[in-house]
Amino acid sequence: MKTPCSAADSALGWLHQVAAEQAIKDLLDELLALSARVVAFDFPFCVPHALLRDAKFAADVGIKDGALTGWRSFNWFVAQHLPLTDPLDFSARLWTKRATDIATGGQPPLKDKFQATFQMTLLRNALLSKLWESYKYRVLPFPGGRGAGEIIEVYPGATLRTIGLASYKSRPEEPVRCGIAACTAAGIKLDVDLRLVGLCCRYSSGGRTPDYGVADAFVALCTAILHAEGACRPAIASDPIWQERLLKEWEGAIWVPAIATSALA
């Protein structure tokens, strides 16, 4: 029998899950209705190519026909079949990074402890699949797909490091300033409501350690604007075997500003 405390915890966890699922559905409906030009998401779009080509990894997730053949096969399978309620047997083998994670200091897409990312990688791929199938959006830099809109992967920390701000979590006003400055340096003038700036600097979802998620979202928005104006580039670490083009087509890429750090001085 559950204690009242554990029952309450379970109920709260269920409510959070329902709220998250509803939020994703609402976001999907809005994106399909709006047909946005560029959408920036802060989560890993794919897993390392070493896992995509690994028949054991494919077998572990229930694929009987051998290794995966690229991002779209991974994305489709996750959206259709992966038993998310019974996660994989995570191990050091799965805690590998993509070339773009190495280049940007990102977390492994299937990391399941501490700063966990595997749930975002798997669950949000269902959202990407729906957007892909709508024929309104292309998921960059993966080949194929149709649509006028573009969906890119971003990482606010990487955006800010690229433009010269290494540490910012305790200073939410700095990401806002740098995001605006990056757009200005690219010839883009933003008209930002001061109430939004105030919210970015005030709202924190963290406890003892602040987590200014709205400020991160603002940086992601600035990155999307820069991408729409041709002022972003994919960040890819060099690989001794694979060409950059193949790495992008298999693993995806995090987009960062193309401007030089000195442009913000």
Side-chain angles (χ1 to χ4, degrees), residues 31 171 226 240:
L31 288 173
R171 298 173 291 130
L226 288 167

Side-chain angles (χ1 to χ4, degrees), residues 11 42 54 82 91 94 112 119 127 145 170 186 189 191 208 215 218 231 233 242 253 260:
D42 179 14
D54 186 346
L82 193 62
S91 65
L94 300 185
D112 65 315
Q119 289 176 318
L127 172 64
S170 63
K189 183 178 180 180
D191 184 12
R208 294 181 179 178
F218 182 83
R233 61 176 177 85
W242 281 54

Side-chain angles (χ1 to χ4, degrees), residues 105-263:
Q107 297 292 330
L110 292 180
K111 185 178 179 182
D112 65 315
K113 294 183 179 68
F114 314 115
Q115 188 178 350
T117 52
F118 84 98
Q119 289 176 318
M120 291 190 294
T121 300
L122 300 180
L123 293 173
R124 301 305 189 268
N125 257 274
L127 172 64
L128 290 180
S129 183
K130 294 293 185 183
L131 294 172
W132 174 283
E133 293 164 0
S134 72
Y135 297 131
K136 290 187 174 184
Y137 295 96
R138 290 171 291 124
V139 182
L140 302 184
F142 302 108
R146 298 192 319 216
E150 296 176 336
I151 297 175
I152 61 170
E153 179 180 345
V154 300
Y155 174 22
T159 291
L160 293 169
R161 282 191 291 272
T162 299
I163 58 181
L165 183 63
S167 177
Y168 68 94
K169 285 296 185 180
S170 63
R171 298 173 291 130
E173 69 283 353
E174 284 299 295
V176 175
R177 181 189 66 81
C178 285
I180 295 172
C183 290
T184 301
I188 305 165
K189 183 178 180 180
L190 300 183
D191 184 12
V192 183
D193 192 317
L194 291 180
R195 291 174 296 179
L196 174 59
V197 176
L199 181 62
C200 290
C201 297
R202 181 177 68 253
Y203 178 81
S204 171
S205 60
R208 294 181 179 178
T209 302
D211 186 2
Y212 295 99
V214 179
D216 278 345
F218 182 83
V219 173
L221 172 62
C222 289
T223 311
I225 293 170
L226 288 167
H227 176 81
E229 298 301 321
C232 273
R233 61 176 177 85
I236 300 286
S238 61
D239 187 278
I241 300 176
W242 281 54
Q243 298 176 358
E244 181 177 313
R245 176 183 63 83
L246 293 176
L247 287 170
K248 288 190 295 186
E249 290 182 358
W250 275 70
E251 298 184 339
I254 293 169
W255 296 82
V256 297
I259 62 171
T261 302
S262 58

Side-chain angles (χ1 to χ4, degrees), residues 72-104:
R72 183 52 184 155
S73 60
F74 163 79
N75 169 260
W76 182 89
F77 183 79
V78 167
Q80 298 295 322
H81 300 293
L82 193 62
L84 298 177
T85 55
D86 185 17
L88 301 172
D89 179 17
F90 291 93
S91 65
R93 181 176 69 89
L94 300 185
W95 277 34
T96 55
K97 289 189 174 186
R98 300 169 296 167
T100 192
D101 301 319
I102 295 171
T104 61

